[in-house]
Structure formats: C-alpha cells, structure tokens
C-alpha cells in the first residue's frame, strides 16, 4: 500500500534502470534478457519467458508472460471465522528473519482486532526463546515457552490447548531453523506437525516458510528441502528492500508453485505487506515501459498529478477526512475500520484508474476514492 512494494523493490528497480535508463514502448529480446538476468531471474526461466515472446515486446505481452508465473493450482489457505484458533507453523533457516516476521504477523492480526498467542517451539536456542518473549511483551500478547532443550512439540501442543481454552483467534508457532543434521530437523518438524493435529484436528492450518530475499535464487534449494519435510503451504519473502534480487520472486514462484503470502519491505510492523502479483509485475514494468495511448503507439498523458501510491502528508490528511465523512477510521496504511460496526476492511490501490479502494468480502470494492478527490 501507498508505494510500500515500490519501496521494497527500490534496489531492483535501480538495477533495471541502470541497464536500460530510457523507458520505451517496446523492448527487444536481447534487452529484456539483460534486464531479467540483472534482477536475478534464473537463466532457465529467462529462456522460458523469452520463448513465448516476439522479437519486439510491448508491456501487455510481457505482463501476460510474467503474471502467468503466479497462477497456481495450489489452494491459498486463509484464516476464517470458523477456525479458532487458526494455527500457523513458521519454518525457515536461522537468519532468514523468522522471529521478526512472526512479530510483524502478530502485530498485523492484532491491528485487525484479532487475539494472538505465540508458541516458542525453537527450544534449540535459548536466544530464540528470549527474542520471541521480548516481542510478545512489546506487542502485548501472550506466549507459551519453556527452557532451552525441552521438547518443542510439547510447546506447540500447550500453545494450541491454551489458545483453545482462552478463545484466542490466532496461534503462531516458531520452530528451529537448524539442528545438528537436516535429518534431525526434518524429524522434529514432522513431530511438531503431528502433535499440533493431536491438540486440534487439522492443525497446523498453514505452514509458512520464511525466505531471505537477499539470497535470491539460492533460497530455492532451502524451500525445496522444507517442502519435502512437511509440505509447505506458502511463503513469506523477507528483506526485499535490502536486495537488488527482486526478480528472484519470479523464479521462486515458477519453481515452487506455492503462494507468496507476504513480503517484508522494511523494519516496521506495517512493512510486512500482502503480496499482490499484479502490483509486483506492474511495479517492475513501470521501470521499463512508458504507457501508450490506445491505438496511437505514443506515450499516454498523465491524467492527474496525484500518485495514490505515494501520498503526501497533506493528501493523506485529505484522505482521512474523506474516510471520516463516510464513517471510517484509518487504522494504518493497509486497513480502515467502520465506525458503526467496528469491522475492519483492507485498503487496495487500483493502479488502473489511480484510486484507493476499500475492499469488502471476496475483495470486492465497497468504496472507492479517485486521485482527484485528494487535491
């Protein structure tokens, strides 16, 4: 929201613009190959993308080729009101940003009005337990933990049982990132999954892998290993703002065929943003192409001066006034709350008509604000 993805892709966009500093309406295959490789798209995938494209490629043709990489047959699992608590198992290697991401995810749920409990099942490292405890205290949410060396499955079990008894909406369980051997790690994670199901049938409801965005394509092998261990349901990419390897997301999506739920684009809690494939592709293409007027082959004129993805303080205040007029409070850059019902709704940037939408059920807009309204 409000340019967060653009902020996270800043280094990647700089690399693209360094290779091809002048935007154009069409790009050659050779130029596109250089751009994709510099952005850390794997060579095999670059070849696959180029095969389906003509010698001179326009924005629409490239958009269709890239967006197809994010079309999965795998069901995207989301929390629902019927599953309580909704249990998430978070896995990944040490240093990928696992604990910080758990904290951001917990803060996100709390900002939506949900209750959250953490489970410190990384009992292999005392530091991991202490770090998660500090985050729980900072956010103001309960945590279940034990001493270093204790059974991590027992912590997961106790977390779920406690959450069920207290009517908690979400349980987020941390896990070890590295044991003495990969076999030990695999057996531990499999046991945690089995024990979660004993505590609550169907748990964990979502198994999420945390990948360090700065590792680019090298993170794919990690993902394959964890997927073989416990069948991952989806991915969160961290540290996207710290790398020029944003193009690796195309390779990760193509190789793993798993949903990317969120991307981390900074240190703040609100910097964990839902991953929108269309916004991601458009952000990349904005660095390459100028838009055309329909049927003219000439660059399109800018319709207005307001960029809804990067609102100024004055424009943001105007937006808050419009929301207030319509009975909403702005909770964050991603959510609003209905003053009458207290229900929380997600905000969305509609890049097609340069507007900000309030999304209701099934992500259907219930209210829209055009850029010209923010003048």
């Amino acid at each position: 929201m409000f340019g967060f993805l653009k902020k996270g892709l800043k280094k990647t966009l700089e690399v693209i613009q360094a290779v091809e500093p002048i935007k154009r309406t069409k790009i050659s295959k050779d130029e596109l190959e250089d751009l994709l490789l510099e952005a850390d798209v794997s060579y095999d995938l670059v070849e696959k993308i180029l095969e389906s494209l003509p010698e001179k490629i326009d924005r629409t043709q490239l958009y269709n080729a890239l967006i197809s990489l994010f079309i999965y047959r795998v069901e995207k699992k989301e929390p629902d009101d019927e599953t309580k608590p909704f249990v998430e198992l978070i896995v990944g290697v040490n240093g990928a940003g696992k604990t910080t991401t758990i904290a951001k995810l917990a803060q996100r749920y709390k900002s939506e009005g949900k209750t959250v409990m953490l489970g410190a099942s990384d009992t292999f490292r005392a530091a991991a337990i202490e770090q998660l405890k500090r985050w729980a205290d900072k956010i103001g949410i309960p945590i279940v933990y034990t001493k270093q060396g204790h059974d991590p499955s027992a912590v997961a079990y106790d977390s779920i049982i406690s959450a069920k008894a207290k009517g908690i909406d979400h349980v987020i369980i941390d896990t070890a990132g590295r044991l003495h051997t990969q076999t030990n790690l695999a057996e531990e994670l499999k046991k945690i999954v089995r024990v979660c199901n004993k505590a609550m049938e169907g748990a964990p409801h979502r198994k999420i892998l945390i990948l360090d965005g700065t590792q680019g394509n090298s993170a794919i092998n990690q993902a394959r290993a964890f997927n073989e261990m416990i069948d991952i349901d989806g991915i969160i990419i961290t540290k996207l703002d710290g790398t020029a390897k944003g193009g690796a997301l195309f390779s990760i999506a193509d190789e793993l065929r798993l949903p990317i739920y969120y991307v981390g684009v900074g240190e703040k809690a609100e910097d964990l943003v839902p991953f929108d494939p269309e916004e991601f592709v458009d952000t990349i293409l904005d660095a390459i192409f100028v838009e055309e007027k329909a049927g003219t082959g000439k660059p399109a004129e800018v319709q207005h001066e307001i960029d809804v993805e990067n609102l100024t303080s004055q424009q943001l205040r105007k937006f808050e006034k419009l929301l207030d007029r319509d009975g909403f409070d702005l909770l964050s850059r991603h959510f609003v709350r209905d003053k009458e019902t207290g229900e929380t709704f997600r905000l969305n940037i509609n890049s097609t008509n340069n507007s900000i939408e309030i999304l209701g059920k099934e992500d259907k807009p219930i209210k829209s604000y055009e850029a010209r309204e923010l003048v």
Side-chain angles (χ1 to χ4, degrees):
M1 268 303 296
F2 300 150
F4 273 45
L5 188 53
K6 188 176 291 185
K7 165 191 168 185
L9 288 170
K10 182 180 178 182
K11 292 187 177 181
T12 301
L13 300 179
E14 287 173 351
V15 164
I16 290 173
Q17 289 162 350
V19 176
E20 293 292 338
I22 300 174
K23 295 184 182 182
R24 70 279 309 278
T25 56
K26 291 190 176 182
I27 188 171
S28 71
K29 275 191 171 183
D30 287 343
E31 290 167 332
L32 179 58
E33 181 177 28
D34 289 342
L35 289 176
L36 294 177
L37 290 174
E38 284 295 327
D40 206 41
V41 181
S42 67
Y43 181 78
D44 288 345
L45 181 55
V46 171
E47 291 297 298
K48 177 180 172 182
I49 292 169
L50 294 176
E51 278 178 10
S52 64
L53 293 169
E55 287 302 319
K56 288 291 184 179
I57 306 152
D58 64 25
R59 182 180 181 124
T60 300
Q61 291 165 332
L62 185 53
Y63 176 89
N64 290 336
L66 296 179
I67 201 66
S68 67
L69 301 173
F70 296 100
I71 299 174
Y72 313 115
R73 293 182 180 178
V74 178
E75 179 187 357
K76 193 173 184 181
K77 298 181 179 180
E78 298 286 4
D80 59 70
D81 294 333
E82 296 178 2
T83 306
K84 191 172 180 177
F86 185 83
V87 181
E88 293 179 274
L89 192 67
I90 309 299
V91 303
V93 299
N94 295 339
K98 193 154 40 76
T99 308
T100 305
T101 301
I102 289 171
K104 289 179 179 179
L105 200 56
Q107 183 65 63
R108 183 180 187 86
Y109 292 148
K110 188 176 179 182
S111 72
E112 295 172 0
K114 303 295 185 180
T115 52
V116 190
M117 178 177 286
L118 303 184
S121 283
D122 182 359
T123 60
F124 189 67
R125 296 183 303 131
I129 299 171
E130 290 303 316
Q131 187 181 9
L132 202 62
K133 282 170 60 181
R134 286 196 297 272
W135 274 116
D137 290 341
K138 184 176 180 180
I139 299 169
I141 58 175
I143 180 172
V144 175
Y145 63 93
T146 185
K147 293 181 179 179
Q148 180 184 7
H150 284 206
D151 185 1
S153 298
V155 177
Y157 183 90
D158 291 344
S159 301
I160 297 170
I161 295 299
S162 178
K164 286 171 67 177
K166 296 175 180 178
I168 299 291
D169 297 309
H170 290 268
V171 174
I172 308 175
I173 299 172
D174 188 18
T175 60
R178 184 178 292 113
L179 295 180
H180 291 302
T181 68
Q182 185 166 303
T183 301
N184 286 347
L185 176 59
E187 292 307 311
E188 177 177 292
L189 291 177
K190 289 175 184 177
K191 182 180 178 183
I192 292 174
V193 170
R194 292 195 302 270
V195 171
C196 284
N197 188 60
K198 289 181 180 179
M200 179 182 182
E201 187 174 354
H205 304 104
R206 191 159 71 176
K207 302 184 289 291
I208 291 185
L209 172 65
I210 309 300
L211 291 179
D212 182 344
T214 64
Q215 293 194 4
N217 281 301
S218 62
I220 293 175
N221 289 333
Q222 289 177 21
R224 286 201 192 103
F226 277 98
N227 198 31
E228 288 173 4
M229 293 177 196
I230 57 169
D231 293 326
I232 298 300
D233 295 310
I235 299 165
I236 294 176
I237 310 288
T238 63
K239 309 177 189 177
L240 193 60
D241 58 313
T243 180
K245 299 179 179 180
L249 269 68
F250 292 115
S251 303
I252 290 170
D254 182 62
E255 285 281 340
L256 303 176
R257 314 305 295 168
L258 290 171
I260 300 173
Y261 283 96
Y262 296 95
V263 289
V265 296
E267 297 298 323
K268 298 177 182 177
E270 61 265 27
D271 290 338
L272 183 70
V273 297
F275 179 69
D276 183 337
E278 293 181 0
E279 183 185 358
F280 174 70
V281 173
D282 274 330
T283 301
I284 296 291
L285 298 188
D286 283 345
I288 304 172
F289 295 100
V290 291
E291 292 187 30
E292 295 181 4
K293 286 183 178 179
T296 67
K298 297 179 181 179
E301 296 175 4
V302 178
Q303 296 178 349
H304 32 60
E305 297 179 356
I306 304 298
D307 179 1
V308 294
E309 293 191 4
N310 297 282
L311 297 182
T312 65
S313 297
Q314 182 177 352
Q315 292 160 359
L316 193 56
R317 285 195 295 271
K318 177 65 174 177
F319 181 48
E320 287 181 301
K321 287 182 179 179
L322 293 173
L323 289 171
D324 182 65
R325 178 200 67 189
D326 295 330
F328 295 97
D329 285 322
L330 183 64
L331 296 179
S332 69
R333 292 179 180 269
H334 306 283
F335 296 97
V336 296
R337 179 173 55 209
D338 188 306
K339 292 183 178 182
E340 185 175 342
T341 66
E343 190 173 357
T344 301
F345 297 96
R346 187 164 68 86
L347 292 171
N348 176 63
I349 294 292
N350 186 327
S351 56
T352 302
N353 57 20
N354 206 25
S355 66
I356 304 173
E357 301 171 334
I358 298 176
L359 300 183
K361 292 182 179 179
E362 298 180 355
D363 286 342
K364 293 182 179 178
I366 59 175
K367 190 69 182 176
S368 180
Y369 302 90
E370 296 181 6
R372 57 184 173 81
E373 297 181 76
L374 305 180
V375 177

